[in-house]
Amino acid sequence: MLILTIHNGHDSSFTLLKDGDILGHWEIERICRVKHGTGAQTADGKTIHDIKFPIIQEKLRSFGLDIADVDIIGLNGVTNWDCYHQNSFIWKNLKNKFGDPEGQGKCILEDTNPPFYTWTAPLEVEPCWGNYKGKKEIRFFVLRHSMAHSAASYYTSPFKESAVFSWEGAGDFWETAVECYGLGNCLEFLGSYNWKPHYNIFGSLFNDAGHLLADIGTGLDCPGKVMGLSAYGTPRRQWVDETLRLCGYCGKTFQLCEGGRKRWTSMELEYKGAKFSLRENIIQDVPYPDEPIRSMLKDSSFKVSQDFAASIQQALEEYFLDRLKVLYDKIGSENLCISGGVGLNVLANTRALRESPFKNVHVVSCCNDGGLSLGTALYIWHAYLGNVKICKSFNPYLGDTLYDKPGTDTFGAVVEGFPVNFKQMEWGALCKFIAKELLDKKIVGWIQDRWEIGPRALGNRSIFASPLSADMKNIINRVKRREWYRPFAPIVMEEYAGEYFDIDRPAPYMVVVADSKTDKIPAAVHIDGTARLQTVNRAQNRKAWTLLNEFNKLSGVPVLLNTSYNVGGMPIVNYLSDALKLLCDSSMSYVVVDNYVFRKR
Ligand SMILES: [Fe+2]
């Protein structure tokens, strides 16, 4: 049984699942080098969607497979059939790539919980499938967007049963949050919060706040920045309440508030003794506030912007805890899976772990839209086909190995274009050498094996540095061209995690924070004393663990600063050329690829 699932839209991805094993999960941005893969044009004038289908064919071929071997094609993105028609992009894409499902006359609404659509259609589809020229009847399966998110977290969790809460910015422009219950291979839909007719969810408010406060990057990158900035501020109760009202949250009950989104703009902000009002309707009708206000908000000494971010974060957490209590009362499970883009809010996840009635929390590393095709594939395998859910820890290293790496045909030509030397080293000696250089405050790119799926680097596409001195934070921020307030995360040997951080369990996906117990690692701890840590053990990532072990032997500290191998606004690297360019253009000293060490000449 070979299942191919495709997510269109931003953070486009596809997944191949063969007999229940995930052959791979590919976020298109890593290949086409356009962050979030929003369909923008690539350098050679093609859209991401133009290049996606040949890429799928290429990956199938790398496993000795062809599109003709696929049994089910899964898609996501519809809440109901009406919404399906409203979503013109998906509709057009389906028709262009797979034929018109309605035209087939075989489209079936499956009477299940949740309902979904399947149909059988002839696969004779265009040149988009590379060399495929045949014709085949193939089963199609459409899963609603929010359920695909929920499935991504539940089916990768170690739980036999669990409550699931998925929430995000816009969802499929119909559902923005959904509650589910997973039991064995089943995932039951319980209910959802809808986008229309009112605006009532936090994810997009974070986008708006990001534009107000930071004005950098796309909307999809803004929420993380607001979260980072929030640690510098103090929540103001009036603003927290205002934000809750904006989201339709009125007191103890969740009610929809008409026109709430506009009210935010009436807040008055003080700056250098003067008062400013954000224009009425500014968020609703104009994407950005006036330039002078924007500039002031970017000022690091402007406390109001920090308090504003802290207030929004606080409101989000209060809302979340309240929703979780309701969900717990409905279900009574001790386990919680979190998904959707807001699942990347590590502060909210942490409060769920510490303060909600749930005892165990799982968040998949690709809980954003990049994980939708994975969730769809796992849903088809378990819920639709009825296969048993295997409850074990999830391996997130499911992407490709580095393109053009040593040993490939193109390696020589790529490396010739850069002023670098390289040498191959025995693995043990390499780790000792790099650990020593890290202790000497060198910055090291670290690329090993297949990339980790999701937006966080989990030790295979990382930049590592010593966490021992506070100034390293600013040095790395310059390398990565990031804002001053963005925190860096620690990667720690799992066996020492409890010694350095207030945490009593492994945290392998960098989706929660923990309070630091030590002043030894200032570069990897945020201003509020928290750290968005990743714990690592030998089985989970042997190479990163070995490097940490060597660093521990030299320094007495089993922790490194770990950040993703990219610069602001770019996807995480997977081309050797991108990795070497950053090495040559920055104060990085080395890039390690497998057991090859590159350095600038
Ligand atoms: Fe989503």
Side-chain angles (χ1 to χ4, degrees):
M1 171 61 67
L2 181 61
I3 300 166
L4 163 65
T5 49
I6 303 167
H7 161 58
N8 296 309
H10 69 78
D11 296 297
S12 183
S13 67
F14 65 95
T15 303
L16 285 171
L17 192 77
K18 189 167 190 300
D19 300 329
D21 292 330
I22 303 165
L23 296 184
H25 172 76
W26 293 269
E27 292 127 323
I28 299 291
E29 68 166 33
R30 305 286 184 99
I31 302 169
C32 72
R33 311 307 300 154
V34 178
K35 195 164 188 196
H36 301 302
T38 48
Q41 289 207 328
T42 58
D44 56 358
K46 291 180 178 171
T47 70
I48 285 166
H49 301 297
D50 289 332
I51 66 173
K52 184 188 299 176
F53 291 91
I55 293 171
I56 293 172
Q57 182 73 344
E58 182 191 317
K59 298 306 167 197
L60 279 164
R61 239 182 268 128
S62 71
F63 291 98
L65 300 164
D66 190 87
I67 187 65
D69 297 314
V70 174
D71 298 295
I72 296 177
I73 292 179
L75 304 149
N76 62 270
V78 291
T79 297
N80 57 40
W81 203 242
D82 291 338
C83 187
Y84 175 79
H85 286 292
Q86 288 167 21
N87 194 328
S88 61
F89 175 76
I90 293 169
W91 175 243
K92 185 164 164 274
N93 201 273
L94 280 171
K95 285 210 289 193
N96 286 348
K97 304 301 181 195
F98 308 120
D100 184 343
E102 282 193 335
Q104 306 301 316
K106 297 176 186 169
C107 187
I108 301 161
L109 174 62
E110 305 272 356
D111 185 20
T112 59
N113 181 354
F116 52 83
Y117 292 93
T118 63
W119 73 95
T120 306
L123 187 69
E124 51 181 347
V125 279
E126 316 175 30
C128 63
W129 291 110
N131 295 326
Y132 181 67
K133 296 279 193 289
K135 183 170 178 176
K136 176 191 180 184
E137 290 284 309
I138 196 160
R139 191 93 171 136
F140 287 83
F141 183 103
V142 180
L143 183 64
R144 60 212 283 174
H145 185 110
S146 58
M147 288 300 295
H149 275 307
S150 302
S153 243
Y154 175 61
Y155 291 116
T156 59
S157 77
F159 306 141
K160 290 179 179 161
E161 57 84 43
S162 178
V164 185
F165 191 85
S166 172
W167 56 331
E168 50 190 321
D172 59 3
F173 299 99
W174 187 263
E175 286 176 335
T176 48
V178 63
E179 294 172 344
C180 297
Y181 177 59
L183 178 62
N185 63 330
C186 298
L187 186 61
E188 184 184 354
F189 172 82
L190 299 178
S192 65
Y193 302 110
N194 293 341
W195 169 282
K196 294 174 181 175
H198 306 297
Y199 182 89
N200 64 340
I201 199 69
F202 280 94
S204 286
L205 283 179
F206 263 64
N207 287 355
D208 295 338
H211 285 306
L212 284 167
L213 299 172
D215 184 35
I216 297 170
T218 71
L220 293 164
D221 288 328
C222 284
K225 296 181 184 185
V226 177
M227 183 175 64
L229 183 64
S230 72
Y232 289 83
T234 306
R236 301 190 188 183
R237 193 63 239 174
Q238 182 195 348
W239 291 1
V240 174
D241 291 341
E242 185 77 1
T243 305
L244 287 166
R245 272 201 301 281
L246 271 169
C247 294
Y249 183 79
C250 305
K252 292 263 179 230
T253 57
F254 189 88
Q255 296 170 358
L256 299 175
C257 291
E258 194 164 357
R261 200 179 185 194
K262 292 181 184 176
R263 300 181 56 178
W264 208 350
T265 62
S266 63
M267 285 182 186
E268 286 196 332
L269 304 177
E270 285 187 26
Y271 182 68
K272 294 184 178 170
K275 280 191 174 180
F276 296 87
S277 252
L278 297 181
R279 257 196 347 249
E280 186 69 17
N281 293 342
I282 218 162
I283 301 175
Q284 184 95 359
D285 303 320
V286 184
Y288 303 103
D290 290 342
E291 180 61 36
I293 295 175
R294 222 183 329 161
S295 302
M296 285 182 277
L297 290 169
K298 285 167 73 173
D299 185 339
S300 64
S301 65
F302 187 29
K303 190 72 181 150
V304 170
S305 67
Q306 296 154 25
D307 288 356
F308 187 55
S311 301
I312 300 162
Q313 178 65 36
Q314 174 78 9
L316 177 124
E317 293 169 12
E318 289 183 12
Y319 166 84
F320 191 36
L321 287 173
D322 189 81
R323 291 297 89 201
L324 292 183
K325 187 170 180 312
V326 172
L327 182 59
Y328 179 82
D329 289 343
K330 272 187 204 169
I331 293 173
S333 173
E334 291 193 335
N335 304 320
L336 172 68
C337 295
I338 300 169
S339 199
V342 192
L344 294 173
N345 193 301
V346 291
L347 302 177
N349 292 346
T350 304
R351 288 196 69 179
L353 185 60
R354 289 178 182 164
E355 299 174 47
S356 83
F358 295 100
K359 288 199 170 69
N360 306 302
V361 172
H362 170 76
V363 191
V364 69
S365 60
C366 55
C367 61
N368 62 338
D369 276 18
L372 286 169
S373 64
L374 178 70
T376 305
L378 295 173
Y379 186 91
I380 293 170
W381 178 252
H382 293 98
Y384 181 55
L385 298 174
N387 290 292
V388 172
K389 178 183 186 294
I390 297 168
C391 301
K392 61 176 186 181
S393 59
F394 174 68
N395 165 27
Y397 303 101
L398 294 168
D400 278 341
T401 56
L402 186 74
Y403 307 138
D404 308 320
K405 69 178 195 169
T408 60
D409 294 343
T410 48
F411 169 70
V414 171
V415 83
E416 263 182 27
F418 295 92
V420 295
N421 294 322
F422 66 93
K423 64 177 177 180
Q424 191 174 13
M425 295 182 73
E426 184 273 325
W427 184 250
L430 183 152
C431 286
K432 283 187 169 59
F433 171 71
I434 293 296
K436 182 169 159 296
E437 294 299 293
L438 285 165
L439 189 57
D440 195 31
K441 299 184 75 169
K442 302 290 198 308
I443 301 168
V444 178
W446 184 263
I447 298 174
Q448 303 293 336
D449 305 321
R450 301 176 72 175
W451 82 58
E452 51 280 73
I453 61 173
R456 311 276 184 246
L458 302 175
N460 277 11
R461 297 290 180 277
S462 289
I463 294 172
F464 288 145
S466 168
L468 303 179
S469 61
D471 61 337
M472 186 57 79
K473 200 182 288 189
N474 293 332
I475 295 169
I476 300 271
N477 261 334
R478 283 197 292 276
V479 169
K480 295 204 40 159
R481 298 168 217 160
R482 301 204 319 173
E483 298 83 355
W484 58 271
Y485 53 83
R486 306 280 298 278
F488 287 110
I491 182 170
V492 56
M493 294 169 73
E494 186 181 298
E495 44 273 63
Y496 294 100
E499 201 177 300
Y500 283 77
F501 303 98
D502 183 20
I503 195 162
D504 62 355
R505 62 192 76 197
Y509 309 123
M510 212 188 266
V511 289
V512 292
V513 298
D515 294 326
S516 171
K517 289 180 173 176
T518 175
D519 58 4
K520 291 180 184 170
I521 52 169
V525 177
H526 203 22
I527 186 79
D528 58 358
T530 65
R532 188 182 67 189
L533 79 169
Q534 181 199 355
T535 63
V536 64
N537 61 40
R538 195 198 293 256
Q540 170 197 344
N541 191 325
R542 182 181 58 82
K543 292 178 177 177
W545 184 93
T546 305
L547 180 64
L548 281 163
N549 194 34
E550 292 299 334
F551 188 77
N552 186 33
K553 286 181 196 168
L554 291 178
S555 67
V557 176
V559 183
L560 285 171
L561 183 158
N562 172 29
T563 184
S564 55
Y565 198 148
N566 64 332
V567 292
M570 289 298 292
I572 295 175
V573 298
N574 207 52
Y575 288 87
L576 179 63
S577 52
D578 290 338
L580 295 180
K581 186 169 189 323
L582 185 52
L583 171 70
C584 294
D585 290 352
S586 73
S587 56
M588 286 173 69
S589 296
Y590 301 96
V591 176
V592 180
V593 178
D594 297 337
N595 62 340
Y596 287 77
V597 179
F598 295 79
R599 66 180 304 173
K600 282 177 277 202
R601 278 203 287 270

